[in-house]
Amino acid sequence: MSVPLSILDLAQVGTGETVGQSLAASTDMAIRAEKWGYERIWYAEHHNMSSIASSAPAVLISHIAARTSTIRLGSGGVMLPNHAPLTIAEQFGTLGELYPGRIDLGLGRAPGGDQNTFAALRRDMAAADRFPNDVLELQGYLTGHSRVPGMSATPGNGTDVPLYILGSSLFGAQLAAALGLPYGFASHFAPGALTQAVQIYREQFRPSEQLAEPYVIAGACVIADEDPQRARDQLHQAKRHRVTALFGRGGRKFTDEEADAILSMPQGRQIDEMLTYSGVGTPDEVREYLDWFAGHADADEVIVASIAPDRQVWLQTLEHLAPARVPAS
């Protein structure tokens, strides 16, 4: 790779797996990824999705940080409007004190779930509008320059846990540029505005105490297998799983035949569009794709989401693409 390579772990709960088994697999993968030379692993806040187990990123980060020693760990991201900035400052300040120099705090403004999630989290309609001010309040707690008179975060105060603005629209790009923060684009599931957002971010970037030059992390989906047909079959299975994740709320399950029928409809084309930036094939083919993608996205770092439903292929994909190029186990 011409740029650093990182992992976005969706903590997916596979068919027939328990949540505990999913989290154990994420822990095992992180221990391996540290040896494989990955830059960082991030976990995203999702809610009301039975197939994703990363609803509490700070808890998961702490568990995995205790079992690793060097790899950076963080949120990709915490949905800040779901929380009081002080709460997140204390959570990630605690992580920063326990694991100094290893913690990232990526921030998004979506609810991380559906309308039921929105209600259950007690969010109001103005929560997303407060996002820029909430970022500044959070930053103040972590840098030791609180913007709230009489308030400081303990833990958190002066830990300088680095902030990253995450998004899939021009809004996030403009905010990251204005605040002088690194920018992560969610092109692994919302690719539409990638090139325009990155261009705006770079053009409008203002240096800050945290960051002197613009820094872009772009996401891509990957499935790598020595058998390219197996990789393609896994991609199709992954699309079927997306049908259930997107259209099966409330516990609805789809048969393979039903999922394939939906994939042939306009809703299916939506899933194809979500997976626009996907490297699928042999390890060499996927590495070549990621090199192309880094240039296409004008990215300083690429973060990959291994989306193979088969747990072995999921893990081996990351091993095949490992920056350290370790031999297969």
Side-chain angles (χ1 to χ4, degrees), residues 23 29 40 60 69 71 100 143 150 186 201 230 237 250 277 311:
L23 296 176
M29 182 273 285
R40 71 187 87 234
L60 184 53
S69 58
I71 194 167
T143 59
Y201 169 70
R230 187 181 187 194
Q237 288 293 335
Y277 293 120
R311 185 60 78 183

Side-chain angles (χ1 to χ4, degrees), residues 73 158 165 187 191 207 214 260 277 287 295 319:
L73 300 166
I165 299 298
S187 38
D260 288 343
Y277 293 120
R287 282 193 289 268
E319 184 174 17

Side-chain angles (χ1 to χ4, degrees), residues 77-314:
V78 161
M79 301 298 109
L80 188 55
N82 294 346
H83 313 274
L86 177 63
T87 298
I88 299 304
E90 291 170 342
Q91 289 178 2
F92 279 78
T94 300
L95 291 170
E97 295 285 7
L98 290 171
Y99 311 104
R102 296 182 57 201
I103 304 301
D104 301 326
L105 178 46
L107 302 168
R109 64 180 181 132
D114 56 11
Q115 288 301 312
N116 291 331
T117 298
F118 190 95
L121 289 169
R122 308 294 194 269
R123 276 184 61 151
D124 60 73
M125 298 303 293
D129 295 334
R130 293 193 297 267
F131 181 64
N133 289 332
D134 284 352
V135 172
L136 290 172
E137 182 180 335
L138 173 58
Q139 186 180 53
Y141 290 135
L142 293 172
T143 59
H145 302 289
S146 176
R147 292 171 174 260
V148 181
M151 276 305 308
S152 73
T154 305
N157 185 32
T159 54
D160 293 313
V161 173
L163 303 184
Y164 296 73
I165 299 298
L166 313 180
S168 58
S169 69
L170 305 187
F171 175 86
Q174 292 166 334
L175 179 62
L179 299 182
L181 296 175
Y183 179 50
F185 192 90
S187 38
H188 63 290
F189 77 90
L194 170 63
T195 55
Q196 185 181 6
V198 171
Q199 181 180 358
I200 287 174
Y201 169 70
R202 291 193 179 280
E203 289 175 349
Q204 298 183 7
F205 180 83
R206 300 175 184 173
S208 67
E209 289 187 15
Q210 179 178 326
L211 193 65
E213 300 288 339
Y215 193 86
V216 172
I217 302 176
C221 296
V222 289
I223 303 175
D225 195 275
E226 296 291 356
D227 180 351
Q229 185 57 52
R230 187 181 187 194
R232 289 190 290 270
D233 290 344
Q234 283 290 293
L235 175 62
H236 188 66
Q237 288 293 335
K239 290 180 180 180
R240 286 172 170 170
H241 284 216
R242 295 256 173 140
V243 168
T244 296
L246 292 175
F247 308 117
R249 296 299 172 91
R252 170 71 190 276
K253 301 290 184 182
F254 296 95
T255 66
D256 288 349
E257 291 75 16
E258 290 171 333
D260 288 343
I262 293 173
L263 288 170
S264 68
M265 298 175 183
Q267 296 94 321
R269 288 192 285 276
Q270 176 188 349
I271 291 174
D272 285 336
E273 290 172 3
M274 290 173 66
L275 296 172
T276 294
Y277 293 120
S278 296
V280 178
T282 66
D284 285 344
E285 289 172 339
V286 177
R287 282 193 289 268
E288 183 178 351
Y289 175 84
L290 291 176
D291 271 326
W292 169 84
F293 174 72
H296 172 75
D298 194 14
D300 300 289
E301 180 178 332
V302 170
I303 189 165
V304 296
S306 180
I307 60 169
D310 181 281
R311 185 60 78 183
Q312 182 181 16
V313 179
W314 169 82

